[in-house]
Each structure stands twice: as structure tokens, then as C-alpha cells.
């Protein structure tokens, strides 16, 4: 094996570990303070246009999922709305978004009846698949369509909720299954950091 | 022991019936029926309550195999879903992955498999309508060897982190297949 090949291999390994530590991440990770997201033009769950400006000015909790999701997505939406309720008035200072990684099936109509069942505080985001894909990349969110035997499909996707400050800087994640106490503490800290 | 007069017997019967009925009512939806099919016992089948228009739900239960040969849960049908498959959910890092279990889910001889959040589940697809907590929904499970069984799923609000209830079991024999760790 040549030195160049070895160097390349080491680079790849470093990349893999870097990727894992980023995406396993909390605010201690390499992503701390990184600007998240990108300009976008999509539709919200009521069918109205929504752009990146919806995120500006307030800290936000952003989750990527889909409605053909038996567990993670409904659980996350239940929990997130519960946490926002729990922190009460402070919670109004956080915007919350549920972005579909399956926009072809998740029409605004589907998104609306789905999300409104959980919360009036969470805004659904769907629309042009290419635009959604760009947005997910800008949030370092992984998603992939996985075919099922019957011709249908399901989605693999990053299951963490991303926290950003009012300027869109990365403040941490809430992992799937994280305890409510920790999650609420993180959201409180997010609100506090915004009001400083 | 003196004999009860017929009126006393009637009263006793009525009282007992009332007690049994009250107990059942108080137990409410938390107690689901358990089922037996050959060597297989199915405990507490429950389905996740859904939002309106949600396209999918998941079914959970414990399946015990008291026999000496393994069996497989290969699929099923449901009155309330267009399609029923057996799936496994896994977290790899912070990525959720869901896979159809082709060839069916093995229920080992003398062991059990727990279908629960975060692991194996019966995937109900193409739902005909919302599943609301408190309802009971009929489905048929199909096993490779034991054949088919009609069961009723209790529809429940499955809260995050809630412990799944299942009957007492012999822990020396349990094999929890749902704990296949995520491999990175």
C-alpha cells in the first residue's frame, strides 16, 4: 500500500469519526455555534408559503420526520409539545418546526391533521422534494428512502431535534428518547440564551 | 356447613357477578386479552393510537413459545389496515432506521420475543381511519408453523418511555430478541 493510499484511508477514518461525533452531538460537539439551515421556499401545514424567515428572530427546535412513521415522529411530536407546554410562557419564545423528509406523501393536508393532533405550537414544513432535500442537508440531517417488499417505502432519518438560537446558530440537540428533564433544561437554556 | 337457601344462593351469585363485573370495568383497557395458539402465547396485543389521517400505526405484544421448535411470525391482516408487515426499528447513532423483516420474526423454542417501541413491531399500513385510544381492533396474525390466529389489539396512547406490560414469565427462559443493539 502506498503512503498516499494510507493517508487517504486515515482521512476517511477521520471523516467517519468526525461525522459520528458531530451527529451523536450535543452542544459540546464540533457543531457548536455553527450556522444551521439555508434560505428556503416551502409550504407550511396550512398550505401557506413558508421561508427561512419563519425561523428568524426566535430560537427554534427543528425536527425532521415523516407521517408514515410508526414511532419516532409521533413520540417526538408528543414530547416536544409537552416540553413546550411545560416551560409555559417561556416556551412561547421558541419556534418549533416539523419538516417532512417525505414531502411527496406528506401533503399540507396530511401534515395539518397529523400535527394539529399534537400541538398548535408546531409548524409543519413540506413542499418541493428538491428544496426539502437542500434544507435537510443544510441542517446536516440524514434521510434515505428505503423500499419495502410490496413496492412501498419507508424513510431512514436523523431522529434528533435540533436547537438553534435566534440567529440560527447551533445550540445542541435533543436525542430521541432523551429524558424530559434534560430536554426541558435544554429548552430553558435556549430561551435564556436568547434573552441575554 | 349449612345449605344456602335458593334466594341466598341467588344473592351470592348476583354479588359475585357484580364484583367480577366491577373488577373488569376498573381494570379497563389496561388489561388486554392474552391468546394461545398451539405452543404460542400472545400477551397484551396493543396498537398505538394515531392522529387523524395518520397513514400508519404499530402493534406491540409479547409472544412466547413454549414448544421445542422455533416458529416465525410472518405477517398478518387487519380489518383496519390495508397492509400488515413485521418491521424492526433501530437507532444507529441518531438515525432511525426501519426495516421489514423478510422471512418473518423468529420466536425461538422455549423463548419469547417482545414487540415494543424501539424494536420489533407489527406495522399497520394504509390505515382505514384513525385509531383512538380505548378502541379494540381486530387483526389476524400468521405464523409459519402454528398457523393463523385472530386477535384484538387494544388501542392505547403509547407514551414515550412507558413500560410495556406483559404477563409473568419465566425469566430463565426469556430471550429478548428486541434488544439487538444498534451496530455502528
Amino acid at each position: 500500500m502506498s503512503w498516499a493510499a494510507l493517508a487517504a484511508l486515515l482521512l476517511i477514518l477521520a471523516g467517519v469519526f468526525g461525522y459520528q461525533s458531530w451527529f451523536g452531538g450535543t452542544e459540546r460537539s464540533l457543531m457548536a455555534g455553527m450556522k444551521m439551515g439555508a434560505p428556503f421556499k416551502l409550504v407550511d401545514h396550512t398550505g401557506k408559503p413558508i421561508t427561512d424567515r419563519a425561523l428568524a428572530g426566535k430560537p427554534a427546535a427543528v425536527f425532521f420526520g415523516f407521517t408514515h412513521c410508526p414511532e419516532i415522529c409521533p413520540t417526538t411530536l408528543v414530547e416536544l409539545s409537552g416540553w413546550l407546554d411545560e416551560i409555559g410562557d417561556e416556551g412561547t419564545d421558541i419556534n418549533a418546526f416539523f419538516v417532512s423528509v417525505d414531502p411527496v406523501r406528506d401533503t399540507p393536508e396530511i401534515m395539518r391533521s397529523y400535527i394539529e393532533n399534537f400541538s398548535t405550537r408546531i409548524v409543519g414544513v413540506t413542499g418541493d422534494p428538491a428544496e426539502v432535500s437542500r434544507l435537510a442537508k443544510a441542517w446536516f440531517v440524514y434521510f434515505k428512502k428505503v423500499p419495502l417488499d410490496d413496492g412501498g417505502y419507508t424513510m431512514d432519518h436523523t431522529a434528533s431535534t435540533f436547537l438553534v438560537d435566534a440567529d440560527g446558530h447551533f445550540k445542541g440537540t435533543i436525542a430521541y428518547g432523551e429524558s424530559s428533564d434534560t430536554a426541558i433544561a435544554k429548552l430553558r437554556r435556549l430561551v435564556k440564551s436568547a434573552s441575554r | 356447613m349449612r345449605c344456602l337457601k335458593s334466594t341466598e344462593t341467588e344473592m351470592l351469585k348476583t354479588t359475585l357477578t357484580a364484583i367480577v363485573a366491577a373488577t373488569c370495568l376498573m381494570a379497563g383497557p389496561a388489561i388486554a386479552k392474552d391468546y394461545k395458539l398451539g405452543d404460542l402465547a400472545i400477551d397484551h396485543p396493543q396498537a398505538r393510537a394515531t392522529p387523524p389521517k395518520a397513514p400508519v400505526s404499530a402493534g406491540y405484544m409479547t409472544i412466547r413459545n413454549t414448544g421445542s421448535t422455533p416458529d416465525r411470525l410472518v405477517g398478518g391482516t387487519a380489518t383496519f389496515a390495508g397492509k400488515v408487515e413485521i418491521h424492526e426499528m433501530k437507532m444507529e447513532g441518531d438515525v432511525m432506521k426501519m426495516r421489514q423483516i423478510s422471512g418473518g420474526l423468529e420466536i425461538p423454542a422455549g423463548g419469547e420475543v417482545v414487540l415494543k417501541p424501539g424494536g420489533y413491531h407489527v406495522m399497520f399500513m394504509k390505515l382505514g381511519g384513525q385509531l383512538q385510544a380505548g378502541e379494540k381492533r381486530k387483526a389476524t396474525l400468521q405464523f409459519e408453523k402454528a398457523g393463523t390466529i385472530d386477535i384484538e389489539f387494544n388501542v392505547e396512547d403509547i407514551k414515550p418511555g412507558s413500560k410495556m406490560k406483559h404477563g409473568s414469565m419465566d425469566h430463565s427462559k426469556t430471550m429478548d430478541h428486541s434488544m439487538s443493539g444498534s451496530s455502528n
Side-chain angles (χ1 to χ4, degrees), chain B residues 32-175:
Chain B
K33 225 172 133 183
D34 296 340
Y35 299 86
K36 269 199 85 66
L37 172 69
D39 290 330
L40 301 178
I42 298 167
D43 293 345
H44 196 194
Q46 61 209 283
R48 184 184 288 274
T50 68
K53 292 188 193 157
V56 299
S57 178
Y60 307 112
M61 73 199 84
T62 299
I63 307 173
R64 271 177 292 144
N65 182 358
T66 55
S68 53
T69 51
D71 204 337
R72 283 175 179 278
L73 174 60
V74 289
T77 55
T79 54
F80 56 93
K83 187 142 194 70
V84 176
E85 293 180 354
I86 314 302
H87 284 195
E88 179 183 18
M89 194 204 96
K90 255 203 255 194
M91 293 298 293
E92 288 188 8
D94 69 346
V95 174
M96 186 281 295
K97 297 193 170 188
M98 203 169 71
R99 293 292 177 271
Q100 186 171 1
I101 303 176
S102 306
L105 173 61
E106 185 179 294
I107 320 294
E112 71 169 26
V113 175
V114 183
L115 288 81
K116 64 180 180 185
Y120 296 123
H121 53 274
V122 177
M123 181 80 177
F124 299 118
M125 299 149 93
K126 300 185 170 127
L127 289 186
Q130 183 181 15
L131 299 187
Q132 286 177 300
E135 293 176 342
K136 291 181 188 301
R137 297 298 193 108
K138 287 186 165 61
T140 304
L141 295 182
Q142 194 187 348
F143 293 90
E144 193 177 69
K145 290 183 186 132
T148 61
I149 181 169
D150 295 335
I151 63 172
E152 249 178 13
F153 283 86
N154 276 5
V155 180
E156 296 177 15
D157 277 322
I158 294 173
K159 295 279 187 293
S162 64
K163 295 279 173 285
M164 310 295 294
K165 288 198 181 79
H166 41 79
S168 59
M169 62 190 78
D170 180 0
H171 281 275
S172 62
K173 282 184 185 168
T174 59
M175 254 174 88

Side-chain angles (χ1 to χ4, degrees), chain A residues 76-88:
Chain A
T76 300
L77 292 177
V78 169
E79 289 191 321
L80 182 58
S81 66
W83 300 329
L84 292 173
D85 287 349
E86 177 79 25
I87 62 175

Side-chain angles (χ1 to χ4, degrees), chain A residues 39-112:
Chain A
F40 67 87
K41 280 186 186 167
L42 288 161
V43 283
D44 73 13
H45 64 290
T46 66
K48 284 199 283 265
I50 185 168
T51 70
D52 44 297
R53 290 181 57 192
L55 278 113
K58 278 184 179 184
V62 183
F63 175 70
F64 289 74
F66 67 124
T67 68
H68 280 70
C69 171
E71 181 184 336
I72 297 261
C73 310
T75 303
T76 300
L77 292 177
V78 169
E79 289 191 321
L80 182 58
S81 66
W83 300 329
L84 292 173
D85 287 349
E86 177 79 25
I87 62 175
D89 290 341
E90 308 158 62
T92 57
D93 288 315
I94 298 178
N95 283 326
F97 299 91
F98 173 60
V99 185
S100 174
V101 294
D102 185 16
V104 174
R105 291 190 295 197
D106 288 339
T107 60
E109 191 205 0
I110 298 273
M111 291 285 275
R112 181 178 200 158

Side-chain angles (χ1 to χ4, degrees), chain A residues 144-174:
Chain A
K144 188 182 167 211
K145 196 166 159 175
V146 180
L148 297 170
D149 290 354
D150 67 346
Y153 64 91
T154 182
M155 306 294 299
D156 290 350
H157 65 96
T158 301
S160 297
T161 300
F162 289 83
L163 305 178
V164 291
D165 67 13
D167 302 318
H169 293 118
F170 181 78
K171 286 297 189 181
T173 60
I174 298 173

Side-chain angles (χ1 to χ4, degrees), chain A residues 91-136:
Chain A
T92 57
D93 288 315
I94 298 178
N95 283 326
F97 299 91
F98 173 60
V99 185
S100 174
V101 294
D102 185 16
V104 174
R105 291 190 295 197
D106 288 339
T107 60
E109 191 205 0
I110 298 273
M111 291 285 275
R112 181 178 200 158
S113 66
Y114 196 79
I115 295 171
E116 285 183 351
N117 181 66
F118 300 106
S119 171
T120 52
R121 291 281 322 278
I122 300 171
V123 176
V125 181
T126 185
D128 175 52
E131 187 78 348
V132 166
S133 194
R134 273 195 295 279
L135 183 60

